[in-house]
Amino acid sequence: MFTLYYDILKPVYQENVNLLYTDTDSLSLEIWTEDVYDDLANKFENLVDFSNYNASHRYYSKKYQSLLGYLKDETKGIPITEFCALRPKMYSYIFGKENKKTAKGTKKTVVQNILHHDMYLNVLKKRSLDKK
C-alpha cells in the first residue's frame, strides 16, 4: 500500500491526491482529476480489476477477474461523495444513494439499523453523538 501511494499515485497526481484512510489491504483516497475512472483505466490499467463494475459501464472488463494483487473499486464505479473515518475499522461513506458503514466491535444490526452517516460526522465535528 505504501509503494502504491508514494511511488505510483503521488508522482502522477502530486498535490492532487490525499490519503484519507488506510487499513491492512485498502486505501481511501481523495483524487482531484478530470476523470478518475479514465485515469484508472488508462494510466493504471495494469493495476485495476474492473470486473465488479456494471456490465454497461464503459470500463467494465473481466481481464483481471479473480486475480490477486489488483485494485478493486468497492463502489463499482459510483463516485464517493462524502467520507468520514473516525478510527481504524470505523468509517462511513456515501456513494450514489447508498451508505457503507463499519464499526468494529459493534453488532451488525446496530451498524445497519441505527448508525447513520450523519452520526459519524457529528462525532468527528462535535466530538459527541446526537441520536437523530
Side-chain angles (χ1 to χ4, degrees):
M1 292 288 130
F2 181 91
T3 299
L4 172 67
Y5 181 71
Y6 288 102
D7 295 345
I8 297 172
L9 298 173
K10 203 68 171 156
V12 171
Y13 292 112
Q14 299 174 6
E15 70 280 348
N16 293 319
V17 62
N18 294 309
L19 183 59
L20 301 177
Y21 175 86
T22 184
D23 203 346
T24 307
D25 61 351
S26 64
L27 295 174
S28 293
L29 304 167
E30 176 182 49
I31 300 174
W32 295 94
T33 184
E34 182 91 15
D35 185 336
V36 71
Y37 301 104
D38 187 58
D39 289 357
L40 291 173
N42 297 305
K43 294 179 183 179
F44 309 107
E45 63 183 305
N46 296 324
L47 296 175
V48 185
D49 172 6
F50 293 104
S51 65
N52 67 335
Y53 279 31
N54 185 300
S56 64
H57 193 281
R58 66 182 183 216
Y59 294 120
Y60 172 78
S61 170
K62 290 185 175 185
K63 184 176 180 180
Y64 300 118
Q65 185 176 15
S66 302
L67 297 177
L68 294 175
Y70 291 90
L71 301 176
K72 204 162 224 167
D73 178 2
E74 285 189 21
T75 64
K76 303 173 184 175
I78 301 169
I80 295 173
T81 54
E82 195 163 49
F83 181 88
C84 180
L86 300 174
R87 58 185 295 172
K89 312 267 188 217
M90 183 174 273
Y91 58 85
S92 173
Y93 58 85
I94 304 289
F95 64 104
K97 294 182 180 184
E98 294 188 48
N99 177 203
K100 162 79 175 186
K101 338 169 257 248
T102 65
K104 186 178 181 180
T106 305
K107 291 183 180 182
K108 287 183 183 182
T109 57
V110 172
V111 174
Q112 292 171 352
N113 301 321
I114 297 174
L115 296 181
H116 300 284
H117 186 72
D118 289 340
M119 297 170 101
Y120 286 77
L121 292 174
N122 278 333
V123 169
L124 180 67
K125 294 175 183 177
K126 300 176 185 175
R127 296 187 184 254
S128 69
L129 181 61
D130 294 336
K131 296 181 182 178
K132 291 182 181 178

